[in-house]
Amino acid sequence: MADTTAPSATAPTSATTPGRRKAISLTRTPTWAWALPPVLVLALGFLYPLALVVRQSFTPESLEEGGASLTPYTEVFASTVFREALTTTVRLAVGATVGCLVLGFVLALVIAFVPFPGGKAVARFIDVFLSFPSFLITLALLFIYGSVGMANGAWTGATGAAEGPFHFLTTPWGVLLAEITYFTPFVMRPLLAAFSQLDTAQLEVASSLGAGPVRIVRQVILPEALPALAAGGSLVLVLCLNEFGIVLFTGAKGVTTLPMLVYSKAILESDYPAACVVAVVNIVLSVGLYSLYRVVSRRAGA
């Protein structure tokens, strides 16, 4: 009699499908093997050049190869040029951040809560504006307020004067204006996202209870916007500390920031140890503020 016993459903089969074999081979790959390629790329593309900069900052030109000294740091920290550049950088960054916070909050309020034709297009343009290079905004300001710009041209054409009155772009005020103009959308973007999640019922209740627009903004909208303001302001502060193109394109005389000092020491004076010292200081400031930005963004849910 023929054996009619059916094979067990749970019996292992000798054949394995290609997809199954692939899944098994992937699970057998150690975790560190997947992390190795990005770590190598990061090490070769960023960490190694950064290590060379730090090493060069401890190597005076007068020292033989392989030596290390704190002399470059003591010389740079003792120089008046460095202290003035550090002070100018911090002042411009803080001033631009405050200006961006105030202007960005007002503009975001108008776009989010004041209906007007083209409001949605303006909100979408904010995202596009974030991709613009900083020198493009500075170049536009030069066309308007430069020594031969449209504003001065209109003034001389109307009054017959030899030159116009607008020369502030070559001063710290011009750099400040350019930075506020360029970085304000970086504050507006998280604010618009926060305003879109605001419950409009709160505004209606506050209005029905007799609260005016100023009181509604102060007591209802502003508390909800504080996390977004903190996140956007932290980001703008970090970006302003490292801004190079705006200062360079405005041609502001006497305005030397830390990035401009790195350029001057390395390119114009060929003092590479001093340039590396200034670069290390700039990196430390940026990393510290970026860490603060990440903490604020995490708490804000950005």
Side-chain angles (χ1 to χ4, degrees), residues 198-257:
L198 184 64
D199 187 5
T200 56
Q202 301 180 37
L203 306 180
E204 295 173 358
V205 170
S207 179
S208 65
L209 293 176
V214 176
R215 188 175 180 182
I216 292 176
V217 170
R218 186 178 69 251
Q219 296 185 354
V220 180
I221 298 178
L222 183 58
E224 297 291 333
L226 284 179
L229 280 172
S234 301
L235 177 60
V236 169
L237 187 61
V238 173
L239 295 175
C240 288
L241 281 175
N242 298 281
E243 181 55 42
F244 175 76
I246 288 178
V247 183
L248 182 65
F249 268 77
T250 55
K253 299 178 181 178
V255 180
T256 303
T257 59

Short mmCIF file of all heavy atoms in Angstrom, two decimals, residues 198-257:
data_model
loop_
_atom_site.label_atom_id
_atom_site.label_comp_id
_atom_site.label_asym_id
_atom_site.label_seq_id
_atom_site.Cartn_x
_atom_site.Cartn_y
_atom_site.Cartn_z
N LEU A 198 -2.01 77.08 16.34
CA LEU A 198 -2.71 77.78 17.40
C LEU A 198 -4.22 77.62 17.25
O LEU A 198 -4.77 77.79 16.16
CB LEU A 198 -2.34 79.27 17.36
CG LEU A 198 -2.92 80.16 18.47
CD1 LEU A 198 -2.39 79.74 19.83
CD2 LEU A 198 -2.56 81.62 18.21
N ASP A 199 -4.87 77.28 18.35
CA ASP A 199 -6.33 77.09 18.35
C ASP A 199 -7.01 78.45 18.23
O ASP A 199 -6.90 79.30 19.12
CB ASP A 199 -6.76 76.38 19.63
CG ASP A 199 -8.24 76.00 19.60
OD1 ASP A 199 -8.87 76.20 18.54
OD2 ASP A 199 -8.73 75.51 20.63
N THR A 200 -7.68 78.66 17.11
CA THR A 200 -8.34 79.96 16.90
C THR A 200 -9.48 80.21 17.88
O THR A 200 -9.91 81.35 18.05
CB THR A 200 -8.87 80.04 15.46
OG1 THR A 200 -9.75 78.93 15.22
CG2 THR A 200 -7.73 80.00 14.45
N ALA A 201 -9.95 79.14 18.53
CA ALA A 201 -11.02 79.33 19.51
C ALA A 201 -10.55 80.19 20.67
O ALA A 201 -11.34 80.96 21.24
CB ALA A 201 -11.50 77.97 20.02
N GLN A 202 -9.27 80.09 21.01
CA GLN A 202 -8.73 80.94 22.08
C GLN A 202 -8.81 82.41 21.70
O GLN A 202 -9.15 83.26 22.53
CB GLN A 202 -7.29 80.55 22.38
CG GLN A 202 -7.08 79.11 22.80
CD GLN A 202 -5.62 78.82 23.06
OE1 GLN A 202 -4.88 79.65 23.58
NE2 GLN A 202 -5.19 77.61 22.71
N LEU A 203 -8.52 82.71 20.45
CA LEU A 203 -8.60 84.09 19.99
C LEU A 203 -10.04 84.59 20.00
O LEU A 203 -10.30 85.74 20.39
CB LEU A 203 -8.01 84.22 18.58
CG LEU A 203 -6.58 83.68 18.38
CD1 LEU A 203 -6.15 83.88 16.93
CD2 LEU A 203 -5.61 84.34 19.32
N GLU A 204 -10.97 83.73 19.58
CA GLU A 204 -12.37 84.13 19.56
C GLU A 204 -12.91 84.36 20.97
O GLU A 204 -13.67 85.31 21.21
CB GLU A 204 -13.18 83.06 18.84
CG GLU A 204 -12.82 82.91 17.37
CD GLU A 204 -13.53 81.74 16.72
OE1 GLU A 204 -14.27 81.03 17.45
OE2 GLU A 204 -13.34 81.52 15.51
N VAL A 205 -12.51 83.49 21.91
CA VAL A 205 -12.96 83.66 23.29
C VAL A 205 -12.40 84.94 23.88
O VAL A 205 -13.12 85.72 24.54
CB VAL A 205 -12.56 82.44 24.13
CG1 VAL A 205 -12.80 82.71 25.62
CG2 VAL A 205 -13.32 81.20 23.69
N ALA A 206 -11.09 85.20 23.65
CA ALA A 206 -10.49 86.42 24.18
C ALA A 206 -11.13 87.66 23.58
O ALA A 206 -11.36 88.66 24.28
CB ALA A 206 -8.98 86.41 23.89
N SER A 207 -11.47 87.60 22.29
CA SER A 207 -12.11 88.75 21.65
C SER A 207 -13.53 88.96 22.18
O SER A 207 -13.96 90.10 22.38
CB SER A 207 -12.13 88.55 20.13
OG SER A 207 -12.77 89.63 19.49
N SER A 208 -14.24 87.86 22.40
CA SER A 208 -15.61 87.99 22.91
C SER A 208 -15.64 88.52 24.34
O SER A 208 -16.66 89.10 24.77
CB SER A 208 -16.31 86.63 22.85
OG SER A 208 -15.67 85.70 23.73
N LEU A 209 -14.56 88.33 25.09
CA LEU A 209 -14.48 88.85 26.45
C LEU A 209 -14.02 90.30 26.50
O LEU A 209 -13.83 90.85 27.59
CB LEU A 209 -13.54 87.98 27.29
CG LEU A 209 -14.02 86.54 27.56
CD1 LEU A 209 -12.96 85.76 28.30
CD2 LEU A 209 -15.34 86.55 28.32
N GLY A 210 -13.82 90.89 25.34
CA GLY A 210 -13.49 92.30 25.30
C GLY A 210 -12.02 92.61 25.18
O GLY A 210 -11.63 93.79 25.27
N ALA A 211 -11.17 91.61 24.96
CA ALA A 211 -9.73 91.86 24.83
C ALA A 211 -9.43 92.49 23.47
O ALA A 211 -9.95 92.05 22.44
CB ALA A 211 -8.95 90.56 24.99
N GLY A 212 -8.59 93.51 23.48
CA GLY A 212 -8.20 94.15 22.24
C GLY A 212 -7.09 93.39 21.54
O GLY A 212 -6.53 92.43 22.07
N PRO A 213 -6.73 93.82 20.31
CA PRO A 213 -5.68 93.10 19.56
C PRO A 213 -4.35 93.04 20.29
O PRO A 213 -3.68 92.00 20.30
CB PRO A 213 -5.58 93.92 18.26
CG PRO A 213 -6.90 94.61 18.13
CD PRO A 213 -7.35 94.89 19.53
N VAL A 214 -3.94 94.15 20.93
CA VAL A 214 -2.65 94.16 21.63
C VAL A 214 -2.67 93.18 22.79
O VAL A 214 -1.70 92.43 23.02
CB VAL A 214 -2.33 95.59 22.13
CG1 VAL A 214 -1.04 95.58 22.93
CG2 VAL A 214 -2.21 96.55 20.94
N ARG A 215 -3.76 93.16 23.53
CA ARG A 215 -3.85 92.24 24.67
C ARG A 215 -3.90 90.79 24.22
O ARG A 215 -3.32 89.90 24.86
CB ARG A 215 -5.09 92.58 25.50
CG ARG A 215 -5.16 91.82 26.81
CD ARG A 215 -6.33 92.28 27.65
NE ARG A 215 -6.41 91.57 28.91
CZ ARG A 215 -7.34 91.74 29.82
NH1 ARG A 215 -8.31 92.66 29.61
NH2 ARG A 215 -7.36 91.04 30.94
N ILE A 216 -4.58 90.52 23.11
CA ILE A 216 -4.63 89.16 22.58
C ILE A 216 -3.23 88.69 22.17
O ILE A 216 -2.83 87.55 22.45
CB ILE A 216 -5.61 89.08 21.40
CG1 ILE A 216 -7.05 89.29 21.88
CG2 ILE A 216 -5.49 87.74 20.67
CD1 ILE A 216 -8.07 89.34 20.76
N VAL A 217 -2.50 89.58 21.53
CA VAL A 217 -1.13 89.22 21.12
C VAL A 217 -0.27 88.97 22.34
O VAL A 217 0.50 87.99 22.39
CB VAL A 217 -0.53 90.34 20.24
CG1 VAL A 217 0.96 90.08 20.01
CG2 VAL A 217 -1.27 90.42 18.91
N ARG A 218 -0.40 89.83 23.35
CA ARG A 218 0.48 89.73 24.52
C ARG A 218 0.14 88.53 25.40
O ARG A 218 1.04 87.84 25.90
CB ARG A 218 0.39 91.01 25.34
CG ARG A 218 1.37 91.05 26.51
CD ARG A 218 1.30 92.36 27.27
NE ARG A 218 0.03 92.50 28.00
CZ ARG A 218 -0.92 93.35 27.67
NH1 ARG A 218 -0.79 94.13 26.61
NH2 ARG A 218 -2.05 93.42 28.38
N GLN A 219 -1.14 88.22 25.56
CA GLN A 219 -1.53 87.20 26.53
C GLN A 219 -1.88 85.86 25.91
O GLN A 219 -1.87 84.85 26.62
CB GLN A 219 -2.73 87.70 27.35
CG GLN A 219 -2.41 88.92 28.22
CD GLN A 219 -3.57 89.31 29.12
OE1 GLN A 219 -4.66 88.75 29.04
NE2 GLN A 219 -3.34 90.28 29.99
N VAL A 220 -2.19 85.82 24.63
CA VAL A 220 -2.59 84.56 24.00
C VAL A 220 -1.56 84.08 22.97
O VAL A 220 -1.08 82.94 23.03
CB VAL A 220 -3.98 84.70 23.32
CG1 VAL A 220 -4.38 83.38 22.66
CG2 VAL A 220 -5.02 85.12 24.35
N ILE A 221 -1.20 84.98 22.05
CA ILE A 221 -0.33 84.55 20.95
C ILE A 221 1.12 84.46 21.37
O ILE A 221 1.82 83.48 21.07
CB ILE A 221 -0.49 85.51 19.74
CG1 ILE A 221 -1.93 85.47 19.23
CG2 ILE A 221 0.48 85.15 18.63
CD1 ILE A 221 -2.19 86.42 18.08
N LEU A 222 1.62 85.47 22.07
CA LEU A 222 3.03 85.51 22.43
C LEU A 222 3.47 84.31 23.29
O LEU A 222 4.53 83.72 23.01
CB LEU A 222 3.36 86.82 23.15
CG LEU A 222 4.83 87.04 23.53
CD1 LEU A 222 5.70 86.97 22.28
CD2 LEU A 222 5.01 88.38 24.23
N PRO A 223 2.71 83.89 24.30
CA PRO A 223 3.14 82.69 25.06
C PRO A 223 3.27 81.44 24.19
O PRO A 223 4.17 80.62 24.41
CB PRO A 223 2.04 82.53 26.11
CG PRO A 223 1.50 83.91 26.31
CD PRO A 223 1.54 84.53 24.93
N GLU A 224 2.37 81.31 23.22
CA GLU A 224 2.46 80.16 22.32
C GLU A 224 3.64 80.26 21.35
O GLU A 224 4.15 79.25 20.86
CB GLU A 224 1.16 80.02 21.51
CG GLU A 224 -0.07 79.76 22.35
CD GLU A 224 -0.05 78.38 22.98
OE1 GLU A 224 0.60 77.48 22.41
OE2 GLU A 224 -0.68 78.21 24.04
N ALA A 225 4.08 81.49 21.09
CA ALA A 225 5.15 81.70 20.11
C ALA A 225 6.54 81.70 20.73
O ALA A 225 7.53 81.69 20.00
CB ALA A 225 4.93 83.03 19.38
N LEU A 226 6.63 81.71 22.07
CA LEU A 226 7.94 81.80 22.72
C LEU A 226 8.89 80.66 22.34
O LEU A 226 10.08 80.92 22.07
CB LEU A 226 7.76 81.87 24.24
CG LEU A 226 7.28 83.22 24.79
CD1 LEU A 226 7.11 83.14 26.30
CD2 LEU A 226 8.25 84.33 24.41
N PRO A 227 8.46 79.39 22.32
CA PRO A 227 9.40 78.33 21.89
C PRO A 227 9.92 78.53 20.47
O PRO A 227 11.10 78.33 20.19
CB PRO A 227 8.57 77.05 22.02
CG PRO A 227 7.52 77.38 23.02
CD PRO A 227 7.18 78.82 22.78
N ALA A 228 9.03 78.93 19.55
CA ALA A 228 9.46 79.16 18.17
C ALA A 228 10.39 80.35 18.08
O ALA A 228 11.36 80.35 17.31
CB ALA A 228 8.25 79.36 17.26
N LEU A 229 10.12 81.40 18.85
CA LEU A 229 11.01 82.56 18.88
C LEU A 229 12.39 82.17 19.41
O LEU A 229 13.42 82.62 18.88
CB LEU A 229 10.41 83.65 19.76
CG LEU A 229 9.32 84.53 19.14
CD1 LEU A 229 8.70 85.43 20.20
CD2 LEU A 229 9.89 85.37 17.99
N ALA A 230 12.42 81.35 20.46
CA ALA A 230 13.70 80.93 21.02
C ALA A 230 14.50 80.09 20.03
O ALA A 230 15.71 80.26 19.87
CB ALA A 230 13.47 80.16 22.32
N ALA A 231 13.81 79.17 19.35
CA ALA A 231 14.50 78.32 18.37
C ALA A 231 15.02 79.14 17.19
O ALA A 231 16.18 79.00 16.78
CB ALA A 231 13.55 77.22 17.89
N GLY A 232 14.16 80.01 16.63
CA GLY A 232 14.60 80.84 15.51
C GLY A 232 15.68 81.81 15.89
O GLY A 232 16.64 82.02 15.15
N GLY A 233 15.57 82.42 17.07
CA GLY A 233 16.59 83.36 17.52
C GLY A 233 17.93 82.68 17.75
O GLY A 233 18.98 83.25 17.42
N SER A 234 17.93 81.47 18.30
CA SER A 234 19.18 80.75 18.52
C SER A 234 19.86 80.42 17.20
O SER A 234 21.08 80.55 17.06
CB SER A 234 18.91 79.46 19.31
OG SER A 234 18.32 79.74 20.55
N LEU A 235 19.06 80.01 16.22
CA LEU A 235 19.62 79.69 14.90
C LEU A 235 20.21 80.93 14.25
O LEU A 235 21.32 80.89 13.69
CB LEU A 235 18.55 79.08 14.01
CG LEU A 235 18.97 78.75 12.58
CD1 LEU A 235 20.11 77.75 12.57
CD2 LEU A 235 17.78 78.23 11.77
N VAL A 236 19.50 82.05 14.30
CA VAL A 236 20.00 83.30 13.70
C VAL A 236 21.28 83.74 14.39
O VAL A 236 22.22 84.21 13.73
CB VAL A 236 18.92 84.39 13.79
CG1 VAL A 236 19.49 85.75 13.42
CG2 VAL A 236 17.76 84.05 12.87
N LEU A 237 21.36 83.60 15.71
CA LEU A 237 22.57 83.99 16.43
C LEU A 237 23.77 83.18 15.96
O LEU A 237 24.87 83.72 15.76
CB LEU A 237 22.35 83.81 17.93
CG LEU A 237 23.46 84.33 18.86
CD1 LEU A 237 23.66 85.82 18.68
CD2 LEU A 237 23.13 83.99 20.31
N VAL A 238 23.58 81.87 15.77
CA VAL A 238 24.68 81.03 15.29
C VAL A 238 25.10 81.43 13.88
O VAL A 238 26.30 81.55 13.58
CB VAL A 238 24.25 79.54 15.32
CG1 VAL A 238 25.32 78.67 14.66
CG2 VAL A 238 24.02 79.08 16.74
N LEU A 239 24.13 81.66 13.01
CA LEU A 239 24.44 82.02 11.62
C LEU A 239 25.12 83.38 11.52
O LEU A 239 26.04 83.56 10.71
CB LEU A 239 23.15 82.02 10.78
CG LEU A 239 22.46 80.66 10.61
CD1 LEU A 239 21.14 80.82 9.87
CD2 LEU A 239 23.37 79.67 9.89
N CYS A 240 24.71 84.33 12.34
CA CYS A 240 25.31 85.67 12.31
C CYS A 240 26.75 85.64 12.79
O CYS A 240 27.59 86.41 12.32
CB CYS A 240 24.49 86.65 13.14
SG CYS A 240 22.92 87.11 12.39
N LEU A 241 27.05 84.78 13.76
CA LEU A 241 28.42 84.68 14.25
C LEU A 241 29.38 84.21 13.16
O LEU A 241 30.56 84.55 13.19
CB LEU A 241 28.50 83.72 15.44
CG LEU A 241 28.04 84.25 16.80
CD1 LEU A 241 28.06 83.13 17.83
CD2 LEU A 241 28.94 85.40 17.27
N ASN A 242 28.87 83.44 12.21
CA ASN A 242 29.72 82.87 11.16
C ASN A 242 29.54 83.54 9.81
O ASN A 242 30.08 83.06 8.81
CB ASN A 242 29.43 81.37 11.02
CG ASN A 242 29.74 80.59 12.28
OD1 ASN A 242 30.89 80.29 12.56
ND2 ASN A 242 28.73 80.26 13.05
N GLU A 243 28.79 84.64 9.76
CA GLU A 243 28.51 85.29 8.49
C GLU A 243 29.77 85.97 7.94
O GLU A 243 30.42 86.75 8.62
CB GLU A 243 27.38 86.29 8.64
CG GLU A 243 27.00 86.98 7.35
CD GLU A 243 26.66 86.01 6.24
OE1 GLU A 243 25.97 85.02 6.50
OE2 GLU A 243 27.10 86.26 5.10
N PHE A 244 30.07 85.68 6.67
CA PHE A 244 31.25 86.24 6.02
C PHE A 244 30.88 87.04 4.78
O PHE A 244 31.40 88.13 4.54
CB PHE A 244 32.21 85.11 5.65
CG PHE A 244 33.41 85.56 4.85
CD1 PHE A 244 34.47 86.21 5.46
CD2 PHE A 244 33.48 85.33 3.48
CE1 PHE A 244 35.57 86.63 4.73
CE2 PHE A 244 34.57 85.74 2.75
CZ PHE A 244 35.63 86.38 3.37
N GLY A 245 29.95 86.51 3.98
CA GLY A 245 29.63 87.13 2.70
C GLY A 245 29.03 88.52 2.83
O GLY A 245 29.37 89.42 2.06
N ILE A 246 28.17 88.73 3.82
CA ILE A 246 27.52 90.03 3.98
C ILE A 246 28.55 91.10 4.32
O ILE A 246 28.56 92.20 3.74
CB ILE A 246 26.42 89.96 5.06
CG1 ILE A 246 25.23 89.17 4.53
CG2 ILE A 246 25.98 91.36 5.49
CD1 ILE A 246 24.11 89.00 5.53
N VAL A 247 29.43 90.80 5.26
CA VAL A 247 30.45 91.79 5.66
C VAL A 247 31.38 92.08 4.49
O VAL A 247 31.77 93.23 4.25
CB VAL A 247 31.25 91.27 6.87
CG1 VAL A 247 32.26 92.32 7.34
CG2 VAL A 247 30.32 90.92 8.02
N LEU A 248 31.73 91.06 3.73
CA LEU A 248 32.65 91.25 2.61
C LEU A 248 32.01 92.07 1.49
O LEU A 248 32.63 92.99 0.94
CB LEU A 248 33.09 89.89 2.07
CG LEU A 248 34.10 89.90 0.92
CD1 LEU A 248 35.43 90.48 1.39
CD2 LEU A 248 34.32 88.50 0.38
N PHE A 249 30.75 91.80 1.16
CA PHE A 249 30.11 92.47 0.03
C PHE A 249 29.69 93.89 0.35
O PHE A 249 29.61 94.72 -0.56
CB PHE A 249 28.90 91.65 -0.43
CG PHE A 249 29.22 90.66 -1.51
CD1 PHE A 249 29.87 89.48 -1.21
CD2 PHE A 249 28.90 90.92 -2.82
CE1 PHE A 249 30.19 88.56 -2.20
CE2 PHE A 249 29.21 90.02 -3.83
CZ PHE A 249 29.86 88.84 -3.51
N THR A 250 29.40 94.19 1.61
CA THR A 250 29.07 95.57 1.94
C THR A 250 30.30 96.47 1.88
O THR A 250 30.17 97.68 1.69
CB THR A 250 28.46 95.67 3.35
OG1 THR A 250 29.35 95.07 4.30
CG2 THR A 250 27.11 95.01 3.41
N GLY A 251 31.48 95.88 2.02
CA GLY A 251 32.71 96.67 1.99
C GLY A 251 32.81 97.63 3.15
O GLY A 251 33.40 98.71 3.03
N ALA A 252 32.22 97.24 4.29
CA ALA A 252 32.20 98.11 5.47
C ALA A 252 33.62 98.29 6.00
O ALA A 252 34.27 97.32 6.39
CB ALA A 252 31.29 97.53 6.53
N LYS A 253 34.08 99.52 6.03
CA LYS A 253 35.42 99.81 6.52
C LYS A 253 35.41 99.84 8.04
O LYS A 253 34.53 100.42 8.67
CB LYS A 253 35.90 101.15 5.98
CG LYS A 253 35.98 101.20 4.47
CD LYS A 253 36.41 102.58 3.98
CE LYS A 253 36.47 102.62 2.47
NZ LYS A 253 36.85 103.96 1.96
N GLY A 254 36.39 99.21 8.62
CA GLY A 254 36.49 99.18 10.07
C GLY A 254 35.61 98.14 10.73
O GLY A 254 35.58 98.05 11.96
N VAL A 255 34.87 97.37 9.95
CA VAL A 255 34.03 96.31 10.50
C VAL A 255 34.75 94.98 10.28
O VAL A 255 34.72 94.43 9.18
CB VAL A 255 32.64 96.29 9.86
CG1 VAL A 255 31.79 95.17 10.45
CG2 VAL A 255 31.95 97.62 10.05
N THR A 256 35.42 94.50 11.31
CA THR A 256 36.17 93.25 11.23
C THR A 256 35.54 92.25 12.19
O THR A 256 35.56 92.44 13.40
CB THR A 256 37.65 93.45 11.59
OG1 THR A 256 38.22 94.44 10.72
CG2 THR A 256 38.41 92.15 11.45
N THR A 257 34.96 91.20 11.64
CA THR A 257 34.39 90.13 12.45
C THR A 257 35.39 88.96 12.51
O THR A 257 36.44 88.99 11.83
CB THR A 257 33.07 89.65 11.86
OG1 THR A 257 33.29 89.18 10.51
CG2 THR A 257 32.05 90.79 11.82
#
